[in-house]
Amino acid sequence: MDDRYYMNMALELAARARGRTSPNPMVGAVLVKNGVVVGQGYHMKAGTPHAEIIALKEAGNEARGATLYVNLEPCCHYGRTGPCADAVIEAGVARVVAAMADPNPLVAGGGLKKIKEAGLEVTLGVMEDEARELNEAFIKYVTTRRPFVLAKAALSLDGKIAARTGRSKWITGPAARAYVHQLRDWYDAILVGIGTILADDPSLTARLPGGGGRDPVRVILDSLARTPLNARVIKQKSKAPTVIAVTAGAPPGRVKALQEAGAQVVVVNSGPRVDLPELMRILAEKEITSVLIEGGAEVHGSAFAAGIVDKVAWFIAPKIIGGRDAPGPVGGEGVDDPGGALELERIKVSRLDQDICIEGYVKPEYRGERPLRPQN
């Protein structure tokens, strides 16, 4: 029996719900008996049956003596639904193959322990790296109570995100822009600065090819509550709310006006700028597990300086914009020497028609340790 083959099937099932299960993980389950798939399912969204329950229901009596493949350890606690470990045991499953243990402290190996104690065979660690990448946002959220953060930028070959005039539409092509909208559909929230709102009046919605898409929560860094009341992020129809992050220095009248216009205003701190680590804590309390930063240079600079960025997606177009006054993707003071530059690992390069996308993870030592300093 090919454990990797069926685990890959479970991972593909789980990924069907990308962007829909938060704050829960994406989970797929496959039941196999005598080399035949007798049941399968995936968790569609929070509050609905878990993947294991759906697969067991489909398999019926065929679940007895079968092998269950699941990309995350079956839960053993009561949440919005009952414990899956109990259901697996009661169904008479003979063997459980899990890609990884559940990092949730409420589970943390308890599900597999219960299954083992019931006499079932357990195999752990099949395609664990792939499983961890799939649920990277859930893992960070459940272990740190902070959202997973992706910083995205679109730039020219000479490193410009806009012309010297400030105009930035469109540097990258349709394929790259379509992928960005897919990211918006997958991530719980999108974060920009007030400069982007004032300059571009963006909608910050997910517009997928053919229509559809789930809008992310729109988060605006706006220390003094300057977001116009007629801005698209305020006026447009969307199921997702707009959160305006201000400081204690924001004029009360402006704050009240934004709230009356429908925005959620959160006062983050008393300093001149919104404290990003504190904002991440507040967003996590709202069960936002992932944040896509589409900021300008100063927002990116502050985010890297604050150590909140986990992953980077840089879209590079084969264009030369030029101009000493044209902005680059990361502002702030930066480092004094290239030897101290922030470094990425696990790099992936992909082609999107004429553009390329470079994705990578910020090395752990550059998270939370302020390797770059924001401009005062």
Side-chain angles (χ1 to χ4, degrees), residues 199-224:
D200 301 333
D201 190 22
S203 60
L204 303 181
T205 54
R207 302 181 295 280
L208 300 182
R214 182 197 65 139
D215 291 343
V217 175
R218 294 168 294 278
V219 181
I220 317 300
L221 301 178
D222 185 8
S223 300
L224 299 177

Side-chain angles (χ1 to χ4, degrees), residues 150-162 168 170-184 186-187 292-294 300 311-319 321 328-329 344 348-360:
L150 170 68
K152 166 263 171 184
L155 55 151
S156 62
L157 196 60
D158 58 335
K160 308 296 185 181
I161 61 171
S168 59
W170 295 100
I171 292 177
T172 53
R177 297 199 299 272
Y179 181 47
V180 170
H181 280 282
Q182 184 67 78
L183 289 174
R184 291 181 179 183
W186 289 342
Y187 276 69
L292 171 64
I293 297 180
E294 287 195 29
H300 279 139
K311 189 177 181 180
V312 168
W314 250 224
F315 296 84
I316 304 174
K319 299 176 181 178
I321 292 178
L344 304 179
K348 182 176 75 173
V349 180
S350 55
R351 181 83 177 263
L352 297 163
D353 289 344
Q354 76 272 25
D355 305 320
I356 62 171
C357 177
I358 300 176
E359 297 175 276

Side-chain angles (χ1 to χ4, degrees), residues 119-135:
L120 282 69
E121 181 184 348
V122 171
T123 300
L124 178 65
V126 177
M127 299 187 72
E128 181 173 358
D129 290 344
E130 292 85 348
R132 286 188 172 278
E133 182 174 345
L134 177 68
N135 276 312

